[in-house]
Amino acid sequence: MSLLAFGINHKTAPVEIRERVAFTPEQLDGAFQQLRQHPQISEVAVVSTCNRTELYCVVDSDAHGQDTTPVLEWMSQFHNLDLTDLARYSYEYTNEDAARHLMRVSCGLDSMVLGEPQILGQIKDAYLNAQDKGLVGRELNPLFQQSFAVAKQVRTQTSIGENPVSVAYAAVSMAQRIFSDLSKSQALLIGAGETIELVARHLRNAGVSKMVVANRTLSRAQAVAEEFNGEAVVLSDIPHQLEKSDIVIASTASQLPILGKGAVERALKVRKHKPIFMVDIAVPRDIEPQVSELDDVYLYSVDDLKEVIEENMRSRQEAAEQAEQLVLAGVGHFMQSQRERGAGQLIGTLRQQVDNIRVTELEKALQQLQKGQNPEEVLQRFSQSLTNKVLHEPMVQLRQASADNRNDLLNGARTLFALD
């Protein structure tokens, strides 16, 4: 078995592709059921965010070297995507490279926003979800634990997270470029997850005092709105709120667009074509792309934020270099531990084999004592027989190694048994 990391992210695929391979919570349940029964996959965790969909697996080693891997084939079938197209946009890492990739992702080194902290929480959620489904075992568990430890080191020992750089921050920064005074603007936030909370926090810091949070579940919208002295509404109230909103930022887990071109067009008429700034952070998208065709609407997708993000991430480059060194050390520690676990299995087998010999010889000795034989002679025979039985097979192998001129095995035996 070997480790495999399979994925698609913002670097390899546009949002149109990423939204087709993203997993909703409902889809994940069905995916786990299929993966649990897959003959070549023994452990798996699924990470699905707006910027990446990744599977971290333990797979049959025989699957490598083939034209397609079992994970690629499964993803193609599950999402009904052409295998060739999916392969073009995806990437795969194995063993040490897979471990390095997960650690870099956990530290925010592979994110659109360098060093952003949200991804670590998403990785932890993916791990716990897979663990709850019984799909994390003796291989993936130490890998994720090591990744979490490295991510903590990076946060505490470097300054990579000191500057407020995130997709949410970038969205608000872009709004500040369009509206010189955000204190006079109303913001409509669609969704009530962690990203929207972060957006709301940055909006408040930027001077926005009036915020409306729209969500499918009103109670969740109220929980977010109360923290920022905002108003909570349900999704059906969006058209009415749209008429009063200058800034619209959407981030939900909906599979279908929540805001269409018609609703925005009607709102613009009521606003007498006063401009609306919109950012769609969601994948799949919450706002129909056709909305961008309307005059007086500035619509940006998550991919459009890259330029703003790049400006703000330069300060993190030096810290990122330090983080890369911590990742390398973490990968080295993990690989050493993995090799030690492999030796542990061998040691356990050897110990069991020797113990079986000991038990057999001890039973013979006890029977001889019960028959009244001389204890000293019994102990002599027991120790000699135990020595002969334990060393018989190694001695046979050493003689054969010498006959075959296998100096590597002979030298290994000297080291293993400290014969020098």
Side-chain angles (χ1 to χ4, degrees), residues 225-240:
E226 286 174 4
E227 183 179 353
F228 302 99
N229 297 318
E231 178 184 356
V233 300
V234 293
L235 296 182
S236 58
D237 291 328
I238 287 178
H240 173 66

Side-chain angles (χ1 to χ4, degrees), residues 208-380:
V208 175
S209 57
K210 184 166 180 55
M211 283 184 267
V212 177
V213 181
N215 192 54
R216 195 178 307 277
T217 305
L218 183 61
S219 60
R220 179 58 189 153
Q222 289 172 335
V224 177
E226 286 174 4
E227 183 179 353
F228 302 99
N229 297 318
E231 178 184 356
V233 300
V234 293
L235 296 182
S236 58
D237 291 328
I238 287 178
H240 173 66
Q241 295 296 335
L242 198 59
E243 298 170 1
K244 302 179 288 182
S245 299
D246 308 294
I247 300 168
V248 178
I249 300 179
S251 179
T252 77
S254 174
Q255 284 295 99
L256 298 173
I258 290 175
L259 192 54
K261 182 178 179 181
V264 179
E265 201 166 17
R266 288 189 291 274
L268 284 171
K269 289 180 180 178
V270 175
R271 291 172 59 85
K272 297 181 180 179
H273 294 278
K274 183 181 177 183
I276 303 178
F277 168 74
M278 296 183 172
V279 179
D280 189 352
I281 301 176
V283 177
R285 285 172 285 188
D286 286 334
I287 303 173
E288 287 184 351
Q290 292 78 9
V291 170
S292 63
E293 300 170 2
L294 298 172
D295 293 334
D296 305 310
V297 172
Y298 301 90
L299 174 61
Y300 298 89
S301 73
V302 67
D303 287 353
D304 296 321
L305 300 179
K306 287 182 179 179
E307 181 180 346
V308 176
I309 289 168
E310 287 171 0
E311 292 178 8
N312 292 292
M313 67 186 280
R314 291 190 184 98
S315 62
R316 299 192 173 194
Q317 288 298 338
E318 183 177 345
E321 292 174 6
Q322 298 171 359
E324 293 284 8
Q325 295 303 311
L326 292 172
V327 167
L328 283 177
V331 171
H333 179 76
F334 169 74
M335 295 306 295
Q336 180 179 347
S337 298
Q338 191 177 47
R339 289 189 292 269
E340 289 174 354
R341 286 196 301 274
Q345 292 179 337
L346 183 60
I347 290 169
T349 302
L350 177 61
R351 178 179 289 276
Q352 184 62 53
Q353 185 175 336
V354 173
D355 198 54
N356 290 340
I357 296 172
R358 179 191 64 81
V359 170
T360 300
E361 295 305 313
L362 180 61
E363 288 177 352
K364 290 180 182 178
L366 290 173
Q367 290 173 3
Q368 292 168 359
L369 289 172
Q370 289 172 357
K371 292 178 181 179
Q373 295 184 20
N374 186 299
E376 185 175 345
E377 293 177 357
V378 170
L379 287 176
Q380 285 287 351

Side-chain angles (χ1 to χ4, degrees), residues 25 78 83 100 113 126-127 137 145 178 227 273 336 360 387 404:
F78 187 88
L83 189 67
R100 180 182 297 107
V113 181
Y127 164 75
Q145 294 301 329
I178 294 174
E227 183 179 353
H273 294 278
Q336 180 179 347
T360 300
T387 300
D404 295 339

Side-chain angles (χ1 to χ4, degrees), residues 72-99:
L72 175 63
E73 291 179 352
W74 178 82
M75 281 282 286
S76 171
Q77 294 170 4
F78 187 88
H79 288 294
N80 194 27
L81 290 170
D82 180 79
L83 189 67
T84 304
D85 289 342
L86 185 60
R88 186 168 72 248
Y89 290 111
S90 63
Y91 48 85
E92 291 186 357
Y93 302 102
T94 58
N95 297 323
E96 185 172 348
D97 291 332

Side-chain angles (χ1 to χ4, degrees), residues 38-277:
H38 199 290
Q40 292 179 295
I41 301 174
S42 58
E43 299 180 37
V44 60
V46 180
V47 177
S48 188
T49 73
C50 61
N51 284 331
R52 71 179 64 247
T53 295
E54 294 182 336
L55 278 72
Y56 294 92
C57 318
V58 177
V59 301
D60 187 342
S61 298
D62 293 337
H64 297 314
Q66 301 177 4
D67 292 336
T68 58
T69 64
V71 180
L72 175 63
E73 291 179 352
W74 178 82
M75 281 282 286
S76 171
Q77 294 170 4
F78 187 88
H79 288 294
N80 194 27
L81 290 170
D82 180 79
L83 189 67
T84 304
D85 289 342
L86 185 60
R88 186 168 72 248
Y89 290 111
S90 63
Y91 48 85
E92 291 186 357
Y93 302 102
T94 58
N95 297 323
E96 185 172 348
D97 291 332
R100 180 182 297 107
H101 181 71
L102 176 58
M103 292 183 199
R104 294 189 76 254
V105 171
S106 300
C107 296
L109 293 173
D110 194 60
S111 298
M112 179 185 292
V113 181
L114 181 64
E116 61 94 3
Q118 285 178 282
I119 186 63
L120 179 58
Q122 293 163 335
I123 295 288
K124 287 183 176 179
D125 288 342
Y127 164 75
L128 292 173
N129 196 7
Q131 188 181 53
D132 184 59
K133 299 295 189 299
L135 288 169
V136 172
R138 64 185 308 275
E139 298 295 333
L140 284 187
N141 185 61
L143 172 61
F144 275 89
Q145 294 301 329
Q146 183 65 47
S147 298
F148 300 152
V150 170
K152 183 178 180 179
Q153 277 187 300
V154 168
R155 291 290 156 195
T156 57
Q157 297 179 24
T158 77
S159 59
I160 197 167
E162 289 184 0
N163 296 317
V165 183
S166 64
V167 171
Y169 182 78
V172 175
S173 296
M174 193 171 284
Q176 289 176 303
R177 295 182 179 185
I178 294 174
F179 300 100
S180 57
D181 186 2
L182 290 182
S183 64
K184 299 178 181 179
S185 301
Q186 172 173 308
L188 172 60
L189 308 181
I190 303 175
E194 186 178 351
T195 299
I196 286 298
E197 286 188 52
L198 196 55
V199 167
R201 188 165 291 108
H202 287 308
L203 284 172
R204 183 179 62 184
N205 293 339
V208 175
S209 57
K210 184 166 180 55
M211 283 184 267
V212 177
V213 181
N215 192 54
R216 195 178 307 277
T217 305
L218 183 61
S219 60
R220 179 58 189 153
Q222 289 172 335
V224 177
E226 286 174 4
E227 183 179 353
F228 302 99
N229 297 318
E231 178 184 356
V233 300
V234 293
L235 296 182
S236 58
D237 291 328
I238 287 178
H240 173 66
Q241 295 296 335
L242 198 59
E243 298 170 1
K244 302 179 288 182
S245 299
D246 308 294
I247 300 168
V248 178
I249 300 179
S251 179
T252 77
S254 174
Q255 284 295 99
L256 298 173
I258 290 175
L259 192 54
K261 182 178 179 181
V264 179
E265 201 166 17
R266 288 189 291 274
L268 284 171
K269 289 180 180 178
V270 175
R271 291 172 59 85
K272 297 181 180 179
H273 294 278
K274 183 181 177 183
I276 303 178
F277 168 74

Side-chain angles (χ1 to χ4, degrees), residues 11-30:
K11 297 178 182 178
T12 66
V15 64
E16 293 84 1
I17 299 297
R18 299 202 305 275
E19 64 187 2
R20 294 183 66 187
V21 299
F23 289 91
T24 65
E26 295 76 20
Q27 286 178 316
L28 264 182
D29 289 336

